[in-house]
Amino acid sequence: MDIRNIAIIAHVDHGKTTLVDKILHQTNVFRANQDTGELIMDSNDLERERGITIFSKNASVVYKDVKINVIDTPGHSDFGGEVERVLKMADGVILLVDAFEGPMPQTRFVLQKALQLNLKPIVVINKVDKPNCRPDEVHDAVFELFFNLDATEEQLDFPTFYGSGKNGWFNSKNEQSEDITPLMDGILQYVPAPKVPEGNLQMQITSLDYSTFLGRIAVGRVARGSISEGQPFSLMRTDGRIQKSRVKELYIFEALGKRKVTEVLAGDICAVVGIEDFTIGDTIADIENPEALAIISVDEPTMSMTFSINNSPFFGKDGKFVTSRHLRDRLMKETEKNLALRIEDTDSADSFLVYGRGILHLGVLVETMRREGYELTVGNPQVLVKYIDDKKHEPYENLVVDVPSEYSGKVIDLVTQRKGEMLIMESKGEMQHLEFEIPSRGLIGLRSQMLTNTAGEAVMAHRFLEYKPWKGPIPGRSNGVLISKNQEKTTGYSIDKLQDRGKFFVDPGEDVYTGQIIAEHIKPGDLIVNATEPKKLTNHRASGSDDATRIAPKTLLTLEECMEYIQQDECIEVTPKNIRMRKVILNEDERKKSSKSMQSEAVG
């Protein structure tokens, strides 16, 4: 059967998953009366809640007797590791670009990877129905981007389609059409069929699936030869070992599911059941003359966090998995499929250093573990420092902010305070387009401040650039925190009296413990407060004065906001039901001793 393998790449929120929906509907994957909802491929709970794609996924459709394997990829730079490995399965890419925003930092990142692999690009300019859209300017900007990324002459001659994924039409003329047929024809016309070299079996495992019945399933594209059910093969490990194994069952992708087959030929994407111990990047090769494919290279992590067991007074109340052994096993299991993640042991048996691409990358891991029933403590995020020629270097990022003109001054002020340098400032309709170069450290906590200062109007995106010399100290949080003095339930009476001291993160009636952060102080410096004191009862009735307490609702912080908020001596307690911020050392006297000894060491 004729095959096309295509990956859909784009910046976050430019419409990849919506386009996949339209392709599935166009090829009659569903019954006419079937209610499928939207964003069909974003099947994970976290993806649906956040409205972003986190894991790359495969689907397969048949159009004009040609099988098209579609790979939906994440658009967020923190999940770039997912994109880098699945591009190996494709022969062509659809680069989706928003007709108003144009190419964004992540567009550049994924396009560069695709061009390096010599994939055939098709450019789709989406959302041409938006007000203020500028499809012709965006087309020129995309061409310039290709040119800057050293695309070949053949790649520079890319076909362009215009349309609206939401309204379900795409064509090459930027005039509304019936459906996405012109784009589907374009895929058949411009994306080459897989090139199959002569030789024995070669298939690289580029992602993994899991089934409670079948166990771990290896997914990849057969690069050479063919693979069949019951066939013995050599599994060539990334560490150089070779182990013999046998194919138990073989599946190909069909629509949104899989279909069992007896043989898969080179060029198709398939799932292999029966391999006990494998990692992404391993090669399934011929039993007699095994030859390995090149190992998948993934960009290095830029940020680290300490994951420890939960040692708060409320330890073990919510979670099923609370020991360091549980934590270690779960983190090691994650590294098997999450290539951009690295785990290191620390001096303590209860703590592990986890390296990732950014706060969102690490935050999604913590959130997933929490939902699985794990209790843990996570520390303050740190950027990775390298010493090059005995000089300290840190990661820098390219930061792009689109904001209404009246707020541009505030944005520039915020970024320059954090050692950012402005590179570009230009108008896009009523919006101001700003580009900066900023140390990765400066991005921690920047998003929430920027949204506060721009009334939620700023659209911010960033991408790792390179390591450059250390920029010196960057100011962190300006305000201190209010810390609970004792362990009890908070009372409305106490919180009411303390409201003028800060913004509270807890409501009356919540359990708190000594050393827990319960509010943000209105001034610099920390303050220990008693928020659990009840009102003393007297035999005097005060008419109406009890009703007069007006307590502002608590400030709810998401997990990522907590990660950006905490300082060096603070951490987050994460359980299936609660996220609490606390001091690393709960006892006040021990905290003072520790800070004195650290100061004397610094002076010494």
Side-chain angles (χ1 to χ4, degrees):
M1 190 177 190
D2 206 357
I3 292 175
R4 300 286 187 277
N5 297 317
I6 192 151
I8 299 181
I9 57 175
H11 185 79
V12 65
D13 265 354
H14 279 198
K16 292 177 299 302
T17 309
T18 304
L19 174 60
V20 177
D21 287 0
K22 297 303 173 200
I23 292 173
L24 293 170
H25 284 294
Q26 179 80 27
T27 50
N28 301 320
V29 165
F30 306 108
R31 298 190 313 274
N33 63 345
Q34 192 170 343
D35 180 22
T36 56
E38 290 182 336
L39 307 178
I40 302 155
M41 295 286 271
D42 283 351
S43 50
N44 180 284
D45 288 345
L46 264 180
E47 292 180 314
R48 286 201 167 275
E49 283 169 29
R50 292 167 185 247
I52 57 171
T53 303
I54 295 171
F55 308 104
S56 58
K57 297 172 206 67
N58 297 54
S60 160
V61 298
V62 175
Y63 178 74
K64 294 188 175 173
D65 294 331
V66 178
K67 179 181 181 181
I68 303 173
N69 286 314
V70 181
I71 307 159
D72 184 19
T73 64
H76 220 286
S77 56
D78 281 29
F79 309 113
E82 287 278 316
V83 184
E84 287 162 77
R85 60 184 171 79
V86 297
L87 285 179
K88 285 263 182 131
M89 294 196 273
D91 296 298
V93 291
I94 290 181
L95 176 70
L96 206 64
V97 186
D98 185 298
F100 171 69
E101 291 183 353
M104 296 289 277
Q106 184 62 11
T107 318
R108 184 187 185 94
F109 170 79
V110 287
L111 180 62
Q112 190 168 14
K113 300 286 174 196
L115 294 178
Q116 284 166 359
L117 290 168
N118 211 18
L119 303 181
K120 177 71 185 167
I122 294 175
V123 173
V124 174
I125 295 176
N126 191 18
K127 306 189 183 182
V128 295
D129 54 331
K130 273 174 90 170
N132 297 333
C133 72
R134 38 195 198 97
D136 297 332
E137 282 176 53
V138 167
H139 180 269
D140 295 343
V142 172
F143 184 85
E144 202 173 308
L145 178 62
F146 271 78
F147 185 76
N148 292 340
L149 292 175
D150 299 327
T152 62
E153 294 230 349
E154 191 188 353
Q155 287 170 330
L156 278 171
D157 188 24
F158 55 82
T160 307
F161 291 84
Y162 301 86
S164 162
K166 193 176 170 189
N167 296 327
W169 63 273
F170 283 104
N171 62 35
S172 53
K173 295 192 180 71
N174 196 8
E175 295 167 1
Q176 186 152 355
S177 55
E178 287 293 306
D179 50 26
I180 64 166
T181 305
L183 176 60
M184 299 299 290
D185 290 336
I187 292 173
L188 302 192
Q189 182 183 342
Y190 298 112
V191 177
K195 291 188 182 75
V196 181
E198 291 293 312
N200 299 325
L201 166 66
Q202 268 187 327
M203 169 184 158
Q204 189 158 42
I205 299 169
T206 45
S207 69
L208 59 88
D209 208 343
Y210 185 80
S211 152
T212 44
F213 300 108
L214 304 169
R216 294 171 77 223
I217 303 168
V219 177
R221 171 179 159 176
V222 183
R224 208 170 71 181
S226 66
I227 186 167
S228 51
E229 198 174 30
Q231 176 180 346
F233 63 84
S234 300
L235 181 69
M236 306 194 71
R237 308 296 303 268
T238 47
D239 56 12
R241 289 182 295 138
I242 299 177
Q243 79 190 48
K244 305 291 186 217
S245 193
R246 186 180 290 273
V247 180
K248 275 189 191 163
E249 291 180 9
L250 204 55
Y251 293 84
I252 57 168
F253 289 89
E254 193 169 82
L256 292 171
K258 298 187 191 77
R259 176 165 65 87
K260 194 173 176 185
V261 289
T262 53
E263 186 183 33
V264 177
L265 301 175
D268 206 351
I269 296 171
C270 68
V272 181
V273 177
I275 316 173
E276 286 302 313
D277 183 25
F278 67 85
T279 53
I280 288 170
D282 293 352
T283 304
I284 293 173
D286 187 62
I287 190 83
E288 300 294 335
N289 306 307
E291 290 175 63
L293 287 157
I295 293 169
I296 299 170
S297 63
V298 170
D299 286 359
E300 289 287 298
T302 57
M303 197 166 274
S304 72
M305 280 172 76
T306 307
F307 282 46
S308 327
I309 59 167
N310 181 12
N311 57 3
S312 85
F314 295 163
F315 154 82
K317 279 191 173 181
D318 301 343
K320 281 192 292 186
F321 308 110
V322 293
T323 65
S324 57
R325 185 178 59 81
H326 284 137
L327 188 59
R328 184 192 173 82
D329 291 351
R330 177 64 182 83
L331 289 173
M332 290 305 170
K333 185 180 159 199
E334 186 67 24
T335 55
E336 291 174 0
K337 63 173 188 286
N338 200 333
L339 286 194
L341 204 72
R342 281 211 326 263
I343 314 289
E344 270 180 25
D345 290 325
T346 61
D347 302 339
S348 160
D350 295 338
S351 298
F352 307 93
L353 258 184
V354 180
Y355 296 91
R357 281 279 179 85
I359 282 186
L360 188 63
H361 186 206
L362 294 165
V364 164
L365 169 61
V366 176
E367 182 64 39
T368 308
M369 288 172 68
R370 171 186 126 127
R371 291 177 183 215
E372 289 170 5
Y374 286 82
E375 274 193 21
L376 63 153
T377 304
V378 292
N380 166 260
Q382 305 284 333
V383 298
L384 297 191
V385 175
K386 284 183 180 176
Y387 283 89
I388 304 169
D389 302 330
D390 291 336
K391 285 188 180 159
K392 196 175 181 183
H393 283 61
E394 63 176 326
Y396 275 65
E397 310 224 5
N398 169 242
L399 170 69
V400 175
V401 185
D402 286 311
V403 67
S405 306
E406 67 262 31
Y407 296 118
S408 59
K410 287 183 178 175
V411 171
I412 295 165
D413 191 36
L414 268 177
V415 178
T416 46
Q417 277 174 22
R418 291 163 172 262
K419 302 280 197 282
E421 289 178 22
M422 188 159 72
L423 306 174
I424 295 172
M425 180 176 185
E426 58 189 23
S427 295
K428 277 188 184 176
E430 295 163 11
M431 302 290 272
Q432 204 75 27
H433 176 79
L434 308 167
E435 285 194 29
F436 304 89
E437 192 175 276
I438 183 171
S440 296
R441 287 180 299 144
L443 291 170
I444 298 173
L446 179 63
R447 187 180 297 273
S448 50
Q449 274 192 303
M450 195 174 283
L451 289 174
T452 307
N453 286 347
T454 61
E457 294 274 354
V459 178
M460 174 179 151
H462 51 90
R463 169 183 74 88
F464 171 69
L465 276 177
E466 59 183 331
Y467 274 82
K468 286 189 171 186
W470 181 263
K471 256 286 177 81
I474 289 177
R477 191 178 72 206
S478 53
N479 292 9
V481 289
L482 303 186
I483 304 163
S484 175
K485 185 180 178 181
N486 39 20
Q487 182 174 331
E488 240 178 296
K489 273 188 170 35
T490 54
T491 62
Y493 174 73
S494 289
I495 290 180
D496 182 43
K497 297 281 180 283
L498 291 166
Q499 273 191 120
D500 56 347
R501 292 291 176 92
K503 284 190 301 190
F504 271 79
F505 303 135
V506 291
D507 276 333
E510 276 190 40
D511 282 309
V512 295
Y513 53 79
T514 310
Q516 183 179 332
I517 294 170
I518 55 173
E520 179 175 47
H521 196 188
I522 55 167
K523 296 176 183 171
D526 298 344
L527 195 64
I528 292 168
V529 297
N530 181 0
T532 62
E533 192 182 2
K535 184 175 181 185
K536 299 286 184 285
L537 296 175
T538 65
N539 55 4
H540 294 286
R541 286 182 60 186
S543 65
S545 64
D546 280 2
D547 303 337
T549 53
R550 291 277 181 271
I551 295 174
K554 68 176 178 182
T555 305
L556 265 176
L557 296 183
T558 64
L559 181 60
E560 278 89 26
E561 284 169 343
C562 289
M563 286 173 163
E564 292 187 337
Y565 185 81
I566 58 173
Q567 299 289 309
Q568 196 72 39
D569 64 335
E570 297 162 1
C571 59
I572 310 165
E573 175 193 356
V574 181
T575 74
K577 292 182 185 164
N578 296 292
I579 295 172
R580 303 182 185 96
M581 291 184 288
R582 48 163 279 199
K583 289 289 179 183
V584 173
I585 301 169
L586 297 175
N587 184 290
E588 183 193 356
D589 296 330
E590 286 177 24
R591 262 203 311 277
K592 283 179 180 167
K593 275 183 206 164
S594 169
S595 67
K596 274 181 188 167
S597 65
M598 282 169 75
Q599 281 167 1
S600 58
E601 275 174 31
V603 170

